[in-house]
């Protein structure tokens, strides 16, 4: 976040009282995260006596930090890079989503202990629907097989999609398909290499193409996971999980081919919205969360 946007984001900060319920974000580094202003804007909008704080936690400090959550009276946390996988064994209980994905990005501190959940999957589905795309039973091509891909593929599998996963390291794509099958997914999951021939073959029939790799993310904005000499399939919706920059090179390739392209800010907002609802028990003010994110990122919502 720039100094100017930090100053202009002051209005997003809630008043902290002795009674304030605290949630937060653990990660390393986290100074660029938009989650604190997004959640604090939502709390403030609803008049909730809640506050969301950044909790910079180094990898070696994770277990200690988690064991202190209850003692400190926190209601929950979000987790980001590099903690999403390492959180799992530290939880008392996992939701089916967190277990199948193999990563948690949300912790609920409850009377029976720490519940680990993953809101990236539901956030992705809500973002697709908000963009006017119904994912049920669709044919999808997913680029990448890392942590975000695991949530995206799990989400698509839960709505009966047929998913082709392509990854630079093919074995990782194969492991993702195998893990989800073992977790009981009945969806059709294929795995292959991230090469032009596979992209051409699977892209031709896809209704949805999702980029879960960081290729094209700021500052390397001129990069794209899609080869220059391969036309992007015009019938597919291109969903890029990247939201900085607002328009990636991949999104421009899709648009130039006549396809619609959507960036990853909707997924970020909606994964936050689900966490908000789990912690507070109230519907999240999604529009307010969108506004807070776009204000911090310095852009208007399209
Ligand atoms: P990750 O676990 O490190 O996985 C990265 C994936 O990208 C791996 O499959 C990796 O392939 C692939 N990859 C990396 N560099 C590549 C390159 N130069 N060429 C081809 N493939 C490459 O990361 P992650 O947590 O999944 O995050 C991935 C992206 O999703 C990031 O940009 C992150 O900001 C974004 N994200 C967005 C949201 C949202 O709400 N919008 C949520 C989560 C993540 P290998 O297996 O071969 O290394």
């Amino acid at each position: 976040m720039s100094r100017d946007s930090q100053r202009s984001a002051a209005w997003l900060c809630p008043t902290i009282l002795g009674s304030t319920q605290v949630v937060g974000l653990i990660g390393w580094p986290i100074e660029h995260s938009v989650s604190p202003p997004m959640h604090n804007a939502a709390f403030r909008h609803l008049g909730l006596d809640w506050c969301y704080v950044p909790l910079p936690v180094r990898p070696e400090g994770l277990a200690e930090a988690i064991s202190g959550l209850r003692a400190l009276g926190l209601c929950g946390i979000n987790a980001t890079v590099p903690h999403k996988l390492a959180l799992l064994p530290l939880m008392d209980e996992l939701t089916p989503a967190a277990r199948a994905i193999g990563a948690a990005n949300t912790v609920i501190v409850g009377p029976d202990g720490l519940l680990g959940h993953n809101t990236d999957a539901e956030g992705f589905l809500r973002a697709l629907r908000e963009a006017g795309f119904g994912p049920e039973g669709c044919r999808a091509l997913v680029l990448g097989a890392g942590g975000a891909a695991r949530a995206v593929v799990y989400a698509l599998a839960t709505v009966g999609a047929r998913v082709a996963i392509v990854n630079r390291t093919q074995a990782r794509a194969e492991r993702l398909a195998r893990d989800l099958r073992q977790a009981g997914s009945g969806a059709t999951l294929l795995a292959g290499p991230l090469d032009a021939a596979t992209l051409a073959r699977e892209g031709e029939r896809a209704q949805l193409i999702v980029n879960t790799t960081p290729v094209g993310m700021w500052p390397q904005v001129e990069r794209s996971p899609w080869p220059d000499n391969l036309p992007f399939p015009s019938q597919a919706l291109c969903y890029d999980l990247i939201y900085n920059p607002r328009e990636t090179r991949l999104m421009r390739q899709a648009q130039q081919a006549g396809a619609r392209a959507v960036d990853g800010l909707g997924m970020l907002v909606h994964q936050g919205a689900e966490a908000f609802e789990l912690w507070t028990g109230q519907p999240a003010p999604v529009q307010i969360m969108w506004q807070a994110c776009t204000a911090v990122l310095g852009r208007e919502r399209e």
Side-chain angles (χ1 to χ4, degrees):
M1 207 191 305
S2 71
R3 267 167 209 244
D4 278 351
S5 45
Q6 274 174 351
R7 269 195 294 272
S8 67
W11 61 273
L12 297 168
C13 296
T15 303
I16 299 173
L17 305 168
S19 55
T20 301
Q21 311 252 48
V22 181
V23 287
L25 173 69
I26 59 165
W28 188 267
I30 52 170
E31 59 264 27
H32 295 293
S33 172
V34 298
S35 289
M38 174 174 77
H39 282 277
N40 286 323
F43 294 144
R44 191 180 174 103
H45 177 75
L46 294 181
L48 296 179
D49 184 14
W50 283 63
C51 171
Y52 189 107
V53 294
L55 300 165
V57 173
R58 289 175 187 272
E60 60 273 20
L62 181 66
E64 217 176 332
I66 295 300
S67 70
L69 291 181
R70 181 191 289 284
L72 287 167
L74 268 75
C75 300
I77 50 157
N78 282 141
T80 185
V81 177
H83 299 315
K84 290 185 185 183
L85 273 72
L87 260 187
L88 289 196
L90 304 173
M91 298 291 104
D92 297 306
E93 204 186 333
L94 296 172
T95 62
R99 190 173 297 111
I101 293 165
N105 73 340
T106 301
V107 177
I108 300 123
V109 182
D112 300 324
L114 305 178
L115 175 65
H117 180 50
N118 193 309
T119 65
D120 280 339
E122 176 63 18
F124 173 67
L125 290 179
R126 289 187 193 182
L128 282 183
R129 293 188 180 112
E130 190 180 51
F133 183 87
E136 287 74 16
C138 76
R139 221 178 157 114
L141 169 60
V142 173
L143 281 48
R150 294 185 72 90
V152 162
V153 176
Y154 168 82
L156 290 170
T158 63
V159 293
R162 175 199 184 278
V163 189
I165 311 155
V166 294
N167 195 41
R168 180 176 62 178
T169 310
Q170 187 177 346
R172 210 172 169 193
E174 286 164 358
R175 194 172 71 217
L176 170 52
R178 195 173 56 239
D179 287 352
L180 289 180
R181 279 188 217 111
Q182 279 171 0
S185 171
T188 304
L189 303 170
L190 312 170
L194 204 174
D195 62 21
T198 313
L199 291 176
R201 187 180 66 247
E202 294 300 331
E204 194 181 33
R205 289 168 294 179
Q207 292 149 309
L208 173 68
I209 297 178
V210 188
N211 176 36
T212 74
T213 79
V215 181
M217 193 165 72
W218 189 88
Q220 295 186 309
V221 295
E222 280 314 315
R223 299 183 63 207
S224 167
W226 197 269
D228 272 336
N229 53 2
L230 180 68
F232 193 93
S234 59
Q235 83 287 348
L237 171 73
C238 170
Y239 193 95
D240 197 334
L241 260 59
I242 293 171
Y243 51 83
N244 186 11
R246 112 185 234 183
E247 190 180 69
T248 60
R249 171 124 182 268
L250 173 68
M251 290 170 64
R252 284 199 298 280
Q253 287 170 295
Q255 285 160 351
Q256 280 158 10
R260 208 154 71 83
V262 180
D263 69 72
L265 192 55
M267 177 172 167
L268 179 79
V269 168
H270 285 287
Q271 63 76 30
E274 194 197 3
F276 180 100
E277 288 161 4
L278 290 168
W279 292 325
T280 66
Q282 302 214 24
V286 171
Q287 294 302 320
I288 297 297
M289 295 168 88
W290 263 105
Q291 282 169 20
C293 288
T294 52
V296 170
L297 292 170
R299 68 171 164 111
E300 293 303 316
R301 187 175 178 193
E302 291 154 346

